[in-house]
Structure formats: C-alpha cells, structure tokens
Amino acid sequence: MGSRGTTLSHLCQCLQGSLPQTIDWMSVIGLANETLITPALHDIAERFPDAIPEDVRQYLQEIFNRNLARNDRLAEQLAEAVAALNGNDVTPVLVKGSAMLAAWPRMTMGRRLISFCQCTKPTVSS
C-alpha cells in the first residue's frame, strides 16, 4: 500500500487522463471511494483497457453503470418536481447537481456522483 500522497498523486493523474507507470489500484480506488469520485475513473479504464487489471476495469464499469442508473432515477424525479412546480406557476432555479442533471449529456452524468440534501419541514415555534 502506497503513501497517501502517492495515492492522491496517482488518482489525480488518472483523473487528468494519464496512467501512472506503477499504481496501487486498491489504494487509488479506496481514496476514490472515500472522496466519492470513483465513477470518474471509468474514463481511464476505457482509455487504457489493456493496462488496467480486468477486475479493476470490471469494478469501475459496475460503479459507473450503477451511478448512471441512479442519476437516471434522480433526473426523472427532478423532471417530476419541476413539472409540479411549473404546474403551480413556479419556475425553479436549478443549481449544482440538479442543473447538471437537467443539462448535461446522459453519459457524462454517469461520471458524477450527485447527492441531494434532504430538506426538512421547518418547525414553527409558538
């Protein structure tokens, strides 16, 4: 297992589109999972299929596919919410993840993990 600095450097290189000469995939994937950017590693697996171990490529493909399916469901829910608001003469302003869901190409969205905060109903004090 490499040092945290080396792992971060290797992860950054992968995200920039270049494959480090020697790489500890367990450490890189662990850091990517920890920082919620694992689906973005799908591109490096696609770009260098012969240089990446099969189990790593399969794992990255599975994470990408699951994230894409999740983002598809989020996009459907977003469209329903926007339609409901529009039906009540409200035009929402989409920011951050919701703006990306609405505007970016579908396959691009598979690379991004999106989270939404759970809004709670405000309490009224007496």
Side-chain angles (χ1 to χ4, degrees):
M1 201 173 237
S3 73
R4 186 86 166 171
T6 300
T7 300
L8 177 59
S9 176
H10 288 170
L11 177 57
C12 290
Q13 287 176 37
C14 288
L15 294 173
Q16 292 172 341
S18 65
L19 194 60
Q21 293 241 332
T22 59
I23 184 169
D24 177 0
W25 281 108
M26 292 297 287
S27 296
V28 168
I29 289 174
L31 182 58
N33 286 342
E34 191 179 317
T35 55
L36 304 178
I37 59 170
T38 308
L41 289 175
H42 177 261
D43 288 349
I44 199 78
E46 293 273 305
R47 190 168 179 191
F48 301 101
D50 296 334
I52 297 176
E54 179 66 22
D55 60 337
V56 172
R57 282 190 295 117
Q58 287 177 357
Y59 177 77
L60 295 175
Q61 185 66 51
E62 183 67 21
I63 294 297
F64 177 85
N65 290 342
R66 287 178 182 218
N67 190 55
L68 185 60
R70 179 181 181 272
N71 287 348
D72 286 343
R73 290 189 304 273
L74 290 173
E76 288 173 20
Q77 291 176 348
L78 176 64
E80 291 172 10
V82 168
L85 290 167
N86 290 163
N88 287 298
D89 295 324
V90 175
T91 304
V93 175
L94 303 179
V95 296
K96 298 184 73 178
S98 62
M100 288 186 286
L101 279 175
W104 285 18
R106 179 176 180 266
M107 292 308 284
T108 301
M109 288 310 304
R111 296 180 193 116
R112 297 294 303 260
L113 265 172
I114 296 173
S115 64
F116 289 92
C117 65
Q118 183 160 0
C119 300
T120 57
K121 188 174 182 179
T123 56
V124 178
S125 58
S126 43

